[in-house]
Amino acid sequence: MANSLASATLKLVSSRLAGLSLATQLFLLQVIVVGLMVATGGFLAFLDARGDSEVNARQRVLDVAQTLARSQDVDSALHDADPARRLQPLAESVRHVTGVDFVVIMNRDRVRYSHPDPARIGGLFLGHIEPALRGRSFTETYTGTLGPSVRALVPVMGNGSRVDGLVAVGITKAKISEQLLHQVPALTGISVLGFGFAALGALLVSRRLRRQTLGLGPVEITRMYEHHDAVLHSVREGLLVFGRDRRLLLANDEAVRLLGLPSDAEGRPAADLELPPALRELTMSGRNAVDEIHLTADRTIVINQAPAVRDGRPLGTVTTLRDHTELEALSGELNSVRGFAEALRAQAHEAANRLHTVVSLIELNRPGEAVTFATAELASAQEMTDRLLSAIAEPVLAALLLGKAAEANERGVEFVVTEDTEVVKVDIDSRDLVTLVGNLVDNAIEAALAAPPPRKVAVTVKADQQDLVLCVRDSGTGLDPARVADAFTRGWSTKASPGTKGRGLGLALVHQVVTRHGGTIDVTRDEGAVFTVRLPTTGTGEVP
């Protein structure tokens, strides 16, 4: 029955506490703990004071008894015919002055010559006197005529070593307890004051904790942590949280994967994280960012960054990351296909014009000139296609160059694939090839268009031992050697509107592909810019 009642009580208390905030629970627990400590300390202090009171009483009665025993008046009075006549007034005077409860002077046979109750003079002293008769002073606790008392017995030494009498001085236990009770208010006051200060400190700590925990209870905090932790680890968007001191407070699984962060990244300053320079600058600055594209060694990441603020107080910044590597690759392929489609549409239109010309020549009864015109145009177009297909066994690369040739010709740029272009199927991902060749050719066409005529772009793709070599030349103004390093960073562009989304990304993507494959890029200047890329590969070689 008792166990069930205790269990029910504990459940009730636990349920009541569970409904309180963490700060309130901590405050109550602190008050209980402090109260128990103060009560225990007060009790121990009381026991210590009681022990000190008894020790002090023993020393006090011993000092009084020794002083009185050494008095010549006491020794001489013991030899009178009626010792009580002189000793009773002396003993009472000493008792009143020292505040003890009794002063008894007796002879060796226990016969009292003084006592607080005069009627007991002449009676026998109750207690032990043997050690004193042997000349040794001692103290004891004994129940005599006045009740339990702490007493001291001291011998009165006569001439030589003879004991002429004894002096007994005592304080009753009741008086010691009474004196101790006078100290209780002081002990209680000190305990209450200490408890009050401790409770005030607990209240201040509780209020601070309440602000920091937003008044939530432990169950709510646990549930929130579990849910937030589950969300952070399962969400497919990278998340970085930086504090006001620009230290990384949190990085979820996706952010670690996208950026290749080490396991001990959390807690490190943004400046110490191994990130690309542009991304490191963004995280260190804490500035706002909306859909900024950043490149890592092998990924294209779209970044958003905004400050975290609560109640007008800045807490740091929150950075989100989305992997756009596949999307950028598909966008590059789509742009190539779109360009190829546009070129085919332009060629279809041009073919229609040529067909009309041939028909008109036939109608004018000039069949010979019509045949010559038609076969000349057909041979020119077919020659480029046949040469590319025979020299380049990689279909994606051949199709891309054909499309870029058509696009360049449509825009008024002479597109040349050099005679030494020759390569078999390579072991490089087709998307990387599209990114690499497409961006370099697009950049060359734009550079040629920005310069005065004649406008020309020349492309060479060939095998060189174990490397795939890609060389793209243009007739533009060339690239300043001092700006070569900047050309491969995100956002660098020579175009008129650098603020356009995605502008300045082509050469950065080229650099990403080359770095990922362990290749090199050389930029020189001839008539215009010359970009030479070498990619290690075992799939290149002479056409058999």
Side-chain angles (χ1 to χ4, degrees), residues 311-323:
D311 299 330
R313 181 169 55 93
L315 304 178
T317 57
V318 177
T319 306
T320 59
L321 308 94
R322 300 195 306 274
D323 189 0

Side-chain angles (χ1 to χ4, degrees), residues 72-274:
Q72 293 296 327
D73 293 337
V74 173
D75 185 50
S76 62
L78 286 173
H79 295 88
D80 291 348
D82 185 10
R85 185 178 61 82
R86 293 173 56 189
L87 293 178
Q88 173 65 7
L90 177 61
E92 286 300 293
S93 175
V94 171
R95 182 173 71 85
H96 288 299
V97 171
T98 58
V100 297
D101 288 318
F102 64 86
V103 176
V104 177
I105 302 175
M106 70 198 83
N107 62 14
R108 293 173 56 88
D109 297 325
R110 296 176 180 265
V111 178
R112 304 188 190 98
Y113 295 137
S114 65
H115 196 276
D117 183 5
R120 296 184 181 274
I121 295 175
L124 297 180
F125 177 79
L126 302 178
H128 304 94
I129 65 171
E130 291 77 10
L133 291 176
R134 293 194 295 270
R136 183 171 66 84
S137 301
F138 70 97
T139 61
E140 68 174 351
T141 300
Y142 192 83
T143 302
T145 58
L146 299 180
S149 63
V150 174
R151 58 177 64 179
L153 272 79
V154 178
V156 179
M157 306 301 294
N159 294 329
S161 59
R162 180 173 57 85
V163 177
D164 292 338
L166 305 173
V167 176
V169 179
I171 299 177
T172 62
K173 285 280 193 177
K175 188 170 185 178
I176 294 175
S177 298
E178 182 182 353
Q179 292 174 348
L180 181 60
L181 289 177
H182 290 315
Q183 301 179 27
V184 171
L187 289 174
T188 303
I190 293 174
S191 299
V192 170
L193 185 63
F195 177 78
F197 279 118
L200 178 61
L203 179 61
L204 295 177
V205 172
S206 174
R207 292 182 62 182
R208 178 177 177 82
L209 183 62
R210 186 187 303 277
R211 290 194 302 269
Q212 293 179 334
T213 59
L214 306 179
L216 298 175
V219 175
E220 296 170 311
I221 292 176
T222 301
R223 185 184 302 115
M224 183 180 296
Y225 171 79
E226 291 174 346
H227 291 175
H228 286 191
D229 188 64
V231 170
L232 288 174
H233 287 289
S234 61
V235 70
R236 298 307 300 167
E237 188 172 75
L239 178 66
L240 301 174
V241 178
F242 291 90
R244 285 183 296 178
D245 58 354
R246 310 313 306 154
R247 287 184 177 273
L248 180 61
L249 302 181
L250 183 143
N252 70 345
D253 295 349
E254 183 67 4
V256 171
R257 184 184 72 85
L258 292 177
L259 300 178
L261 296 176
S263 57
D264 61 345
E266 293 184 359
R268 293 168 59 178
D272 293 347
L273 298 177
E274 296 180 0

Side-chain angles (χ1 to χ4, degrees), residues 170-413:
I171 299 177
T172 62
K173 285 280 193 177
K175 188 170 185 178
I176 294 175
S177 298
E178 182 182 353
Q179 292 174 348
L180 181 60
L181 289 177
H182 290 315
Q183 301 179 27
V184 171
L187 289 174
T188 303
I190 293 174
S191 299
V192 170
L193 185 63
F195 177 78
F197 279 118
L200 178 61
L203 179 61
L204 295 177
V205 172
S206 174
R207 292 182 62 182
R208 178 177 177 82
L209 183 62
R210 186 187 303 277
R211 290 194 302 269
Q212 293 179 334
T213 59
L214 306 179
L216 298 175
V219 175
E220 296 170 311
I221 292 176
T222 301
R223 185 184 302 115
M224 183 180 296
Y225 171 79
E226 291 174 346
H227 291 175
H228 286 191
D229 188 64
V231 170
L232 288 174
H233 287 289
S234 61
V235 70
R236 298 307 300 167
E237 188 172 75
L239 178 66
L240 301 174
V241 178
F242 291 90
R244 285 183 296 178
D245 58 354
R246 310 313 306 154
R247 287 184 177 273
L248 180 61
L249 302 181
L250 183 143
N252 70 345
D253 295 349
E254 183 67 4
V256 171
R257 184 184 72 85
L258 292 177
L259 300 178
L261 296 176
S263 57
D264 61 345
E266 293 184 359
R268 293 168 59 178
D272 293 347
L273 298 177
E274 296 180 0
L275 300 175
L279 183 53
R280 184 186 297 113
E281 181 276 328
L282 175 63
T283 57
M284 289 173 58
S285 67
R287 60 178 173 83
N288 285 351
V290 178
D291 289 343
E292 283 192 8
I293 298 178
H294 288 260
L295 302 178
T296 64
D298 55 355
R299 296 187 183 278
T300 302
I301 301 175
V302 176
I303 301 223
N304 287 274
Q305 181 167 276
V309 180
R310 180 176 179 82
D311 299 330
R313 181 169 55 93
L315 304 178
T317 57
V318 177
T319 306
T320 59
L321 308 94
R322 300 195 306 274
D323 189 0
H324 272 219
T325 305
E326 297 295 325
L327 182 59
E328 286 296 327
L330 291 175
S331 297
E333 292 183 15
L334 180 60
N335 288 334
S336 297
V337 172
R338 183 183 293 113
F340 193 44
E342 291 294 332
L344 290 176
R345 186 179 296 110
Q347 287 184 348
H349 185 270
E350 186 65 20
N353 291 333
R354 292 169 183 160
L355 181 59
H356 282 268
T357 302
V358 171
V359 171
S360 298
L361 287 173
I362 293 175
E363 289 177 348
L364 293 174
N365 199 22
R366 292 185 176 182
E369 294 181 13
V371 171
T372 302
F373 177 80
T375 55
E377 292 295 329
L378 181 62
S380 176
Q382 191 64 36
E383 181 184 359
M384 168 73 77
T385 302
D386 291 342
R387 191 162 60 82
L388 282 178
L389 292 178
S390 62
I392 301 176
E394 178 62 49
V396 173
L397 182 57
L400 178 63
L401 290 176
L402 282 173
K404 292 301 179 183
E407 179 185 354
N409 290 331
E410 182 186 357
R411 300 178 67 180
V413 177

